[in-house]
């Protein structure tokens, strides 16, 4: 049987009764769109983070786009972020009409190198958009200082960092807004698409609620022309409410898998994940590094083990972003990582015997290189 990099079926079997009860709760409620389940999830997700507001939206990409628009970031503005991320981070900036500006990443943690941000600021810079990648947080203190000095906004991309902390502070609780994805693979995943924005601004909260609902404040009456149809689905919201209660358990499960990998692969020459000082990693993915990555992936196929590369193409090298003018070599760490990183199977329900299978196969392959 193939070992998948991610699989929900065992988790579903364990939680089946609760998931199906969530569906029944919505279907029997008489309200299928923006009802009690969305409101309940928004309140509970905000409370988990100690945030003033949560606005549920249809996916994580639109969570970023709407967050930027709600804060007034758009055409003519520059948003500083990274190229070592999922393309939707940058697609969302582009969808808001703003221009992405990239800085390189730290070679040990693969997170935004905040020391490089000051050098790319221009009079057009409006927002800093750090990506809490792979399950751990960017240290936002340097960005907070820059934001205060230059009157900039911080919008956090928390799609991969549900429950992660830096110096005790949860991801998503520092900036003017924070965007979350609930795509099924996430640490807190729905059974379909979903997203949310956290903010402590009453004004941003009102703007987000308009933006996700065609620009309307009242039914059929459009207040702003930048509206979308970006509502979080009631069924997904009710499922997320149930799963939110188990989020800390999911995180504990991921950390247990990570410890087992670390113990089993520590002496192999594989570069294992490094947790930045002050961080509490949640291991959305378990990303490792080796200069012969492609050979390793090919060799592991005979063991029926599926691996993932997150991400094989830096965003600035994609033809869809050629208009930004970045050349090969402009972000050397990001570009080097793209040829070496890959992710081992990681999810809380990954059985110990399957973890041992992965460890054994990786050790065998590395020994034969």
């Amino acid at each position: 049987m193939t070992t998948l990099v991610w699989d929900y079926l065992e988790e579903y079997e364990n939680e089946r009764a609760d998931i199906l009860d969530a569906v029944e709760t919505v279907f029997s409620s008489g309200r299928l769109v923006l009802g009690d389940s969305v409101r309940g999830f928004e309140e509970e997700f905000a409370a988990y983070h100690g945030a003033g507001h949560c606005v549920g939206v249809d996916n994580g990409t639109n969570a970023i786009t709407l967050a930027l628009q709600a804060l007034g970031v758009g055409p003519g503005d520059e948003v500083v972020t990274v190229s070592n991320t999922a393309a939707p981070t940058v697609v969302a900036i582009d969808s808001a009409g703003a221009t992405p500006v990239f800085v390189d990443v730290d070679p040990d943690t693969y997170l935004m190198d905040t020391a490089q941000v000051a050098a790319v600021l221009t009079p057009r810079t409006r927002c800093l958009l750090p990506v809490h990648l792979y399950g751990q947080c960017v240290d936002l203190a340097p960005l907070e200082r820059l934001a205060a000095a230059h009157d900039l906004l911080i919008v956090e991309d928390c799609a991969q960092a549900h429950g992660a902390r830096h110096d005790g502070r949860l991801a998503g609780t520092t900036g003017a807004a924070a965007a979350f994805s609930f795509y099924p693979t996430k640490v807190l995943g729905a059974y379909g698409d979903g997203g949310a924005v956290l903010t402590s601004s009453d004004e941003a909260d009102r703007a987000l609620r308009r933006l996700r609902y065609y620009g309307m404040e009242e039914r059929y009456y459009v207040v702003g022309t930048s509206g979308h149809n970006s509502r979080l689905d009631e069924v997904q919201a009710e499922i997320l409410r149930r799963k939110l209660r188990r989020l800390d358990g999911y995180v504990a499960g991921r950390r247990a898998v990570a410890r087992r990998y670390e113990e089993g692969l520590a002496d192999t020459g594989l570069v294992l994940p490094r947790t930045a000082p002050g961080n509490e990693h949640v291991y959305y993915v378990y990303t490792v590094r080796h200069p012969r990555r492609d050979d390793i992936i090919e060799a592991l196929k005979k063991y029926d083990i599926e691996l993932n590369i997150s991400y094989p193409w830096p965003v600035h090298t994609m033809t869809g972003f050629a208009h930004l003018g970045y050349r090969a070599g402009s972000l050397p760490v990001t570009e080097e990582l793209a040829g070496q990183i890959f992710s081992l199977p990681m999810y809380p329900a990954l059985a110990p015997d399957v973890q041992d299978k992965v460890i054994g196969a990786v050790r065998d392959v590395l020994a034969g290189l």
Side-chain angles (χ1 to χ4, degrees):
M1 179 182 295
T2 300
T3 299
L4 303 175
V5 72
W6 174 80
D7 188 359
Y8 73 94
L9 290 175
E10 185 173 345
E11 179 183 286
Y12 173 63
E13 190 59 34
N14 294 336
E15 301 178 0
R16 185 173 184 271
D18 198 30
I19 298 302
L20 295 183
D21 184 67
V23 175
E24 174 61 24
T25 295
V26 173
F27 285 1
S28 62
S29 71
R31 183 72 179 269
L32 297 177
V33 178
L34 293 184
D36 290 342
S37 293
V38 168
R39 282 191 294 272
F41 174 71
E42 289 175 338
E43 292 171 0
E44 291 156 17
F45 196 66
Y48 179 89
H49 290 86
H53 306 284
C54 171
V55 179
V57 297
D58 54 344
N59 57 66
T61 309
N62 283 338
I64 298 174
T65 298
L66 271 62
L68 292 172
Q69 291 180 329
L71 295 168
V73 179
D77 296 327
E78 293 178 347
V79 177
V80 180
T81 191
V82 293
S83 181
N84 182 41
T85 183
T89 302
V90 185
V91 169
I93 296 169
D94 187 69
S95 295
T99 300
V101 175
F102 299 116
V103 294
D104 215 341
V105 296
D106 180 88
D108 293 327
T109 64
Y110 318 148
L111 300 170
M112 174 184 275
D113 185 346
T114 57
Q116 297 188 24
V117 173
V120 302
L121 300 182
T122 75
R124 294 177 58 195
T125 307
R126 183 76 181 98
C127 180
L128 310 179
L129 203 158
V131 180
H132 300 311
L133 195 70
Y134 300 150
Q136 66 172 324
C137 299
V138 177
D139 179 2
L140 296 183
L143 299 186
E144 289 182 282
R145 291 191 289 269
L146 283 174
H150 297 277
D151 191 25
L152 304 175
L153 297 161
I154 296 175
V155 173
E156 301 174 64
D157 182 346
C158 302
Q160 301 186 11
H162 310 78
R165 296 175 185 266
H166 179 78
D167 289 342
R169 187 160 56 176
L170 277 166
T173 60
T174 299
F180 290 80
S181 168
F182 304 119
Y183 187 74
T185 62
K186 304 302 184 187
V187 179
L188 179 62
Y191 277 65
D193 267 318
V197 181
L198 293 180
T199 183
S200 293
S201 165
D202 295 344
E203 183 179 356
D205 174 62
R206 289 191 295 270
L208 284 160
R209 294 184 189 281
R210 288 195 301 269
L211 286 164
R212 75 170 178 186
Y213 193 56
Y214 313 110
M216 296 178 183
E217 284 188 346
E218 297 182 47
R219 192 177 184 189
Y220 301 133
Y221 191 92
V222 173
V223 175
T225 57
S226 297
H228 307 263
N229 179 5
S230 295
R231 300 166 297 207
L232 178 61
D233 180 77
E234 275 286 287
V235 171
Q236 301 303 338
E238 186 61 34
I239 291 172
L240 288 166
R241 291 183 75 180
R242 313 298 180 92
K243 296 189 73 177
L244 178 60
R245 300 163 194 162
R246 297 188 283 271
L247 174 55
D248 292 344
Y250 297 148
V251 170
R254 288 174 178 272
R255 287 174 176 157
V257 175
R259 285 193 298 270
R260 198 179 189 96
Y261 280 152
E262 185 173 6
E263 292 167 359
L265 298 171
D267 59 347
T268 61
L270 203 62
V271 178
L272 304 180
R274 299 179 185 177
T275 302
N279 270 352
E280 297 176 38
H281 208 311
V282 297
Y283 297 99
Y284 165 60
V285 290
Y286 193 87
T287 298
V288 298
R289 181 178 178 186
H290 196 282
R292 294 186 64 182
R293 185 264 314 277
D294 294 343
D295 293 332
I296 294 169
I297 291 176
E298 183 63 29
L300 282 170
K301 289 180 180 178
K302 69 178 182 180
Y303 294 86
D304 288 328
I305 295 174
E306 177 186 292
L307 304 179
N308 188 50
I309 302 174
S310 302
Y311 299 93
W313 299 285
V315 177
H316 72 283
T317 68
M318 298 179 183
T319 57
F321 294 101
H323 62 283
L324 297 177
Y326 288 85
R327 300 179 182 276
S330 58
L331 300 173
V333 177
T334 295
E335 292 169 33
E336 182 179 25
L337 289 175
Q340 297 185 1
I341 55 178
F342 61 104
S343 299
L344 305 182
M346 168 59 76
Y347 49 93
L350 190 67
D353 62 319
V354 180
Q355 296 168 41
D356 289 341
K357 171 188 171 183
V358 173
I359 291 167
V362 171
R363 292 186 69 89
D364 286 350
V365 168
L366 289 173
L369 289 180

